[in-house]
């Protein structure tokens, strides 16, 4: 069974800092990995999706990397802003077999950017 | 296109009552998913449709839960005889089926928060 772990569970940084969020997964036979943002009481907003054949994806100040063989992904946020404060969730989809149609989520990292 | 929409956004009910949530996916998406999220946890998969066919169900989906997607468009999730443990955010997502030119990226709605008293 795929398990996804996100470290740290919470992170507080001053505005302007660059930061890295970590995600690890136990089954490396993944189809893709998706990073989401969730504001309190809201739904999930997709930030970046990395296919299993890719090593990284970039969108604005966000960069996500994938090392499938070691079961790890990182989300890098450059020049953090108070508006980046949210919970960031990592989710993986298996390549095939039972559960391959679903995403398995980590518990998220709650980020607070202090002005 | 306005994205995935869910209704109602909030529902408070007494234990034992039935509740129904509705999800309208992005119009061209043939896949629709239901997830449940409790406080401090990541979303957990409940069930998934491809067009009108329900293809996968989690063991979390007890007999009191039923989901439908008539005509392959909107979907409903009904919970019968609600229990306090059903209190959670119910999230709907939609996607295209993964293919050569399509990643199968999931897009989520704002969720329907259920409180069972």
């Amino acid at each position: 069974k795929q398990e996804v772990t996100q470290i740290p569970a919470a992170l507080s940084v001053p505005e302007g800092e660059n930061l890295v969020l970590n995600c690890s997964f136990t089954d490396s036979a993944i189809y893709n990995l998706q990073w989401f943002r969730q504001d309190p009481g809201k739904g999930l907003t997709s930030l970046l999706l990395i296919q299993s054949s890719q090593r990284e994806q970039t969108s604005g100040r966000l960069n996500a990397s994938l090392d499938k063989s070691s079961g790890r992904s990182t989300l890098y946020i450059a020049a953090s802003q108070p508006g980046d404060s949210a919970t960031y969730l990592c989710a993986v989809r298996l390549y095939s077999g039972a559960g391959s149609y679903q995403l398995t989520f980590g518990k998220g990292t709650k980020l607070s950017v202090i002005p | 296109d306005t994205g995935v929409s869910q209704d109602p956004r909030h529902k408070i009910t007494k234990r034992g009552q039935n509740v129904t949530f509705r999800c309208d996916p992005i119009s061209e998406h043939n896949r629709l998913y239901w997830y449940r999220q409790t406080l401090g946890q990541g979303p957990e998969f409940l069930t998934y449709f491809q067009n009108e066919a329900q293809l996968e169900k989690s063991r979390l989906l007890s007999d009191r839960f039923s989901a439908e997607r008539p005509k392959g468009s909107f979907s409903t999730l009904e919970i019968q005889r609600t229990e306090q443990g059903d209190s959670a955010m119910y999230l709907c997502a939609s996607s295209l089926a993964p293919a050569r030119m399509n990643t199968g990226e999931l897009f989520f709605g704002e969720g329907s928060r259920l409180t069972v008293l």
Side-chain angles (χ1 to χ4, degrees):
Chain A
K1 179 191 171 192
Q2 178 74 276
E3 292 183 2
V4 179
T5 303
Q6 292 188 245
I7 295 173
L11 181 63
S12 183
V13 300
E15 182 177 0
E17 269 203 12
N18 303 327
L19 60 101
V20 174
L21 308 180
N22 297 292
C23 171
S24 62
F25 46 93
T26 54
D27 188 337
S28 62
I30 65 169
Y31 185 77
N32 59 35
L33 182 147
Q34 214 169 332
W35 281 93
F36 294 90
R37 169 188 172 134
Q38 187 173 32
D39 293 290
K42 302 289 188 180
L44 279 64
T45 300
S46 180
L47 297 174
L48 289 164
L49 181 147
I50 310 178
Q51 293 287 71
S52 62
S53 58
Q54 298 174 321
R55 292 196 64 83
E56 66 178 324
Q57 281 285 347
T58 298
S59 176
R61 294 182 294 108
L62 304 180
N63 176 277
S65 67
L66 174 64
D67 184 344
K68 202 173 63 168
S69 61
S70 67
R72 294 183 180 181
S73 176
T74 61
L75 179 67
Y76 175 83
I77 303 177
S80 58
Q81 303 171 357
D84 295 331
S85 298
T87 296
Y88 291 80
L89 293 154
C90 165
V92 298
R93 170 180 281 175
L94 286 175
Y95 188 81
S96 64
S100 62
Y101 298 108
Q102 60 176 279
L103 290 178
T104 301
F105 283 84
K107 293 183 178 181
T109 294
K110 185 175 182 180
L111 173 65
S112 298
V113 181
I114 312 303
Chain B
D1 178 56
T2 58
V4 179
S5 62
Q6 293 187 243
D7 183 72
R9 293 291 312 281
H10 304 276
K11 178 72 176 178
I12 301 174
T13 191
K14 293 183 179 179
R15 188 178 56 185
Q17 298 294 305
N18 300 341
V19 297
T20 299
F21 301 114
R22 175 180 169 125
C23 172
D24 287 273
I26 293 172
S27 57
E28 64 268 28
H29 285 181
N30 53 1
R31 290 190 173 183
L32 186 147
Y33 312 78
W34 285 99
Y35 283 78
R36 181 172 71 184
Q37 186 180 28
T38 53
L39 202 61
Q41 303 295 314
E44 294 175 294
F45 172 78
L46 291 179
T47 190
Y48 139 76
F49 292 84
Q50 178 148 319
N51 301 314
E52 67 275 8
Q54 189 173 19
L55 295 187
E56 194 170 340
K57 290 195 289 188
S58 162
R59 281 173 286 182
L60 292 174
L61 212 66
S62 75
D63 291 344
R64 296 183 298 104
F65 288 70
S66 62
E68 294 182 342
R69 193 184 182 196
K71 304 178 183 177
S73 55
F74 72 92
S75 175
T76 57
L77 176 68
E78 181 183 17
I79 309 174
Q80 295 182 325
R81 304 180 305 281
T82 52
E83 303 173 355
Q84 288 183 325
D86 296 332
S87 295
M89 175 80 89
Y90 291 85
L91 293 161
C92 177
S94 70
S95 76
L96 291 169
R100 188 178 185 85
M101 299 300 292
N102 163 37
T103 63
E105 184 175 3
L106 266 69
F107 295 88
F108 280 80
E110 289 293 323
S112 293
R113 179 167 295 282
L114 173 65
T115 302
V116 182
L117 302 176

